[in-house]
Structure formats: structure tokens, C-alpha cells
Amino acid sequence: MKKATSILISMLLASIAFAKEPTPADSISKIQLCLILDVSGSMDGLLSQAQNEIWKTISFVEGFQKEDLKTVIEIAVISYGNHQYAENGHVKLVVDFNDDVDEVAEKLWLMEIGGGNEFSGSAIKKALDSLSWEDKAIFKCIIMAGNEPFDQGIVNFEESILLAIQKGIILNTIYCGEKGKGIYEKWEKAAKLGNGIYANIDQGIATDEFKTPYDHTLIKFYFDYKSTYSDEKKEEKIKQFDSKGEVSPAFRDMIIYRYGRMKKAKDIIDKFNESNWEINQFDDSEIPEKWRNLSPKELKFKLLEFSRKRETYAEGFETYTKKVEEFLKITVQPKLNNKTLNLAMSEMMSKQLIEFGYVKK
């Protein structure tokens, strides 16, 4: 587990960082999602699913839009049930609301399980008191996942949930185990009190179940596509493989998410295409340093060459992304007796976002 964690952290730190242009506040629709995760000794499977599926979940949520506004999702993480922070009621703020998914993912990969007490009421109160919740009437929700009775600890969970409702925050609960047992242990009651949805998952479903025959080809098209950017940096491709030499589903889902971000970032090739292949508009600062000594004719030829390559690679990547999605939907998911964390979260948030006025793009 620690070896895999180290590989994923290194992979994250080595990945491309794309500059984000500031977006006017009145042109965005913000979503705040707080994950409260049980990290007690029996929750290795839950933590593994959270670590491996974060990009898939965020990609799904970012696919919703309200009116013509840009959707921005901020993630926060609270952990509870670990003896390492018993002095804080076994509850810890892992990361405050952050729209940089890579940073959130890195924090998730640094988390560890450890025996402790699972005080749900305290964890919810910590989330309310410690996080930077918006005062505005935006979509705000907590998704809490664990497998112990919800009413443990000295902080009354019903009072904590009431405080959340007063702040306009929905509470969803996910029980890691049998649905009936979760109901008996008051996870369904907590969700109903929080105007949310109750679900259960099988934390024992390994992420390897989500491999597809198209992963290798998809990764190849990603690296080819990425090579058409002038600031492209070399990555050690070995980090995309697991110990068996197969593509990690976490890596695949990360690059699908990263491809979407990369495609939205405008560079000289995009501007060149949008200007009907005119190069008079560019000054030296916009031209990649390695191309600045080219004549106008040579520069135009180079931009045309890279534009065609990018179009070809993008078409290939998007084709294989669809193949991956279809394989997971038709072949993998029907075989699963229960949901994973991502499937449960996506299902409940889809319903709630639509009720809040969002539509699926």
C-alpha cells in the first residue's frame, strides 16, 4: 500500500501544472463538497477507493452546468476515527476547500488508517466550524462514509446536522457494508435529517476491477497529444503502470481529467487555428523559444504541422475515452453486486444537482 502511495504521490508531483486564468465571480457557479471519511483500522478499502476515484468523481460533477455559468467545484476532506489524533476527538481537517484536484488528491494519498473512535457528530461539527463554507446560496454538501454506529461520541449528531441545515448544507451518508445494518446504525436517519440521500457500498471492491482493454492505447494518445504543447514536460511513463505492468485505473482516470483541463487551456496553436492560420498577430513572447528563429513561412508550416497532429491525437484520445466508458458501463458495472464510493457519490450528487437547477452537459 505504501509503495503504491509513493508512486502515485510522485506521479502527481511530476505532472503538468497548468496556469488558471482568473474567472469573474459572477460568471461561475460554485459547488462545495466536503468528504468526511472514516479512517479507522477497518477502512482500508474505503480510503483506497477515495484515493483512486477522486478524478473520476470530479470529472463527473464538472459535467453539470447551471445556466451559462462555469462550474467550479471545491473539495474539502475531513478524516475521523484515527487514534493518531485522539486528542482532537479522533477528528482531523485534512484539507480545506480547494479547487485544485491534484492538491486534494495528494492529501488523500498521504492519509493513513489507524484504530480509533468514530464520532460522527464531532466530525460533522468539525466540518462546519473549520471549513471555508460560502455564505451564498450555492450547492453545498457533505458526503460522509464509514461503518460504525452514527450515534457515538459526546457530540449529538442530530444537533450537528441541524446546524448544517441552517447553513444550507446537505448531508449525504454512505455506509460501508450491508444496507440494513447501516439503517440499524442510524446512517439512513442521519441522511434524512440532513435532507440528503443514504447509500451503501462495498469497500472491498478492488480498483483493479476497473481496468479495461483500451487503457494502454488511451495513455499513448494522451502522451502524443501532450507532446503538441510547447511547455510539455517529460514524464516517466513507467509510473503509469502497476506492479503487473498494467495501467492503473487511477492513472487512467487522472489523465482523462487532465486532458479535459489541457484542452480548455488556449495556446499558440489554438489561437493560430482561430485566426484562420494567420501568424501576424503573434509577438515573440507568445512564440515558443525553440521556434523564434524560424522564418514566417517556416513558423506557419510548424504550426500547421502541430495543429494537424493535435487534431489527430485528440480524436484518438476521445474515441478511446468513449470505449473505456462503454466498457465500464456495459461490462464492469453490471458485475458489481454493490457500488463503489465514486458510483454512490455520483448517483446521489447527480440527483441533487438537477434538483438545484443544474443540467448535465
Side-chain angles (χ1 to χ4, degrees):
M1 179 73 177
K2 287 188 175 179
K3 183 177 180 182
T5 299
S6 176
I7 291 173
L8 262 292
I9 292 173
S10 299
M11 179 182 71
L12 282 167
L13 294 176
S15 61
I16 298 176
F18 295 101
K20 292 187 280 186
E21 296 181 5
T23 305
D26 59 356
S27 66
I28 68 172
S29 179
K30 186 182 290 186
I31 294 169
Q32 288 189 317
L33 167 61
C34 169
L35 300 180
I36 302 182
L37 302 175
D38 180 350
V39 291
S40 60
S42 61
M43 303 308 294
D44 187 63
L46 172 65
L47 182 56
S48 177
Q49 288 184 13
Q51 292 167 334
N52 282 280
E53 297 185 327
I54 183 67
W55 295 279
K56 188 186 298 183
T57 302
I58 303 309
S59 293
F60 177 83
V61 177
E62 286 185 346
F64 287 83
Q65 187 173 11
K66 192 171 186 180
E67 299 171 348
D68 293 325
L69 304 176
K70 176 185 177 182
T71 300
V72 173
I73 179 168
E74 293 182 344
I75 310 294
V77 180
I78 300 281
S79 65
Y80 76 111
N82 193 311
H83 64 80
Q84 293 181 12
Y85 31 90
E87 68 279 4
N88 296 322
H90 301 264
V91 180
K92 180 181 179 181
L93 169 60
V94 178
V95 59
D96 198 354
F97 285 116
N98 194 331
D99 64 358
D100 187 330
V101 183
D102 286 344
E103 288 188 24
V104 176
E106 184 182 344
K107 297 290 186 183
L108 280 170
W109 279 98
L110 290 170
M111 290 170 63
E112 295 180 345
I113 60 168
N117 295 313
E118 298 91 330
F119 300 147
S120 300
S122 297
I124 295 169
K125 193 169 188 308
K126 179 74 171 179
L128 299 178
D129 294 343
S130 304
L131 300 178
S132 306
W133 295 100
E134 287 275 357
D135 292 329
K136 299 175 183 177
I138 63 168
F139 184 86
K140 296 176 281 192
C141 84
I142 293 171
I143 296 181
M144 189 164 187
N147 73 343
E148 291 292 332
F150 212 89
D151 56 357
Q152 298 183 87
I154 60 173
V155 177
N156 186 297
F157 78 90
E158 295 185 27
E159 293 178 1
S160 294
I161 294 172
L162 178 60
L163 292 173
I165 293 172
Q166 291 171 350
K167 290 176 173 282
I169 302 167
I170 298 169
L171 173 71
N172 298 303
T173 63
I174 298 176
Y175 186 75
C176 302
E178 296 178 4
K179 185 174 184 179
K181 189 177 179 184
I183 293 172
Y184 177 76
E185 294 184 350
K186 301 185 179 179
W187 284 74
E188 183 183 51
K189 179 180 180 180
K192 287 181 177 178
L193 289 172
N195 297 326
I197 296 171
Y198 166 66
N200 71 299
I201 65 170
D202 179 0
Q203 65 159 324
I205 297 175
T207 55
D208 283 358
E209 295 282 346
F210 295 90
K211 292 177 180 177
T212 83
Y214 309 109
D215 294 346
H216 279 273
T217 306
L218 182 75
I219 299 298
K220 181 182 183 304
F221 273 117
Y222 168 72
F223 280 109
D224 287 341
Y225 179 83
K226 192 164 76 74
S227 71
T228 67
Y229 284 81
S230 58
D231 62 348
E232 185 266 341
K233 298 176 183 177
K234 297 294 182 184
E235 294 185 49
E236 295 180 46
K237 295 187 180 183
I238 189 65
K239 292 175 182 175
Q240 72 191 261
F241 301 113
D242 62 17
S243 60
K244 298 178 181 178
E246 298 173 341
V247 173
S248 160
F251 185 90
R252 179 200 65 213
D253 295 335
M254 186 191 77
I255 65 99
I256 290 174
Y257 172 83
R258 195 172 296 283
Y259 170 83
R261 285 296 178 95
M262 197 188 310
K263 195 170 183 183
K264 293 176 183 176
K266 300 285 187 181
D267 71 349
I268 188 172
I269 294 174
D270 296 304
K271 294 177 181 177
F272 175 67
N273 289 333
E274 290 171 358
S275 66
N276 293 319
W277 304 327
E278 292 294 332
I279 62 171
N280 297 332
Q281 60 179 312
F282 302 121
D283 55 41
D284 285 347
S285 63
E286 293 180 280
I287 300 172
E289 187 174 354
K290 60 184 177 182
W291 293 347
R292 288 178 189 170
N293 292 327
L294 299 178
S295 68
K297 184 177 180 180
E298 289 172 329
L299 176 61
K300 189 168 186 176
F301 180 82
K302 185 65 69 175
L303 289 171
L304 282 169
E305 177 189 0
F306 270 67
S307 175
R308 287 166 183 156
K309 284 182 179 180
R310 183 177 296 180
E311 183 179 357
T312 299
Y313 299 147
E315 184 179 340
F317 185 90
E318 290 166 15
T319 296
Y320 276 85
T321 298
K322 289 178 181 177
K323 288 180 181 291
V324 166
E325 292 172 349
E326 289 172 359
F327 186 88
L328 292 174
K329 183 177 180 180
I330 297 171
T331 306
V332 176
Q333 291 180 13
K335 294 191 301 184
L336 304 178
N337 294 324
N338 288 298
K339 300 179 179 70
T340 63
L341 182 65
N342 166 67
L343 293 173
M345 290 198 298
S346 297
E347 197 172 276
M348 59 179 48
M349 288 195 71
S350 175
K351 181 178 180 181
Q352 291 169 344
L353 286 169
I354 290 171
E355 290 174 350
F356 203 79
Y358 283 82
V359 295
K360 193 81 171 72
K361 289 188 280 189

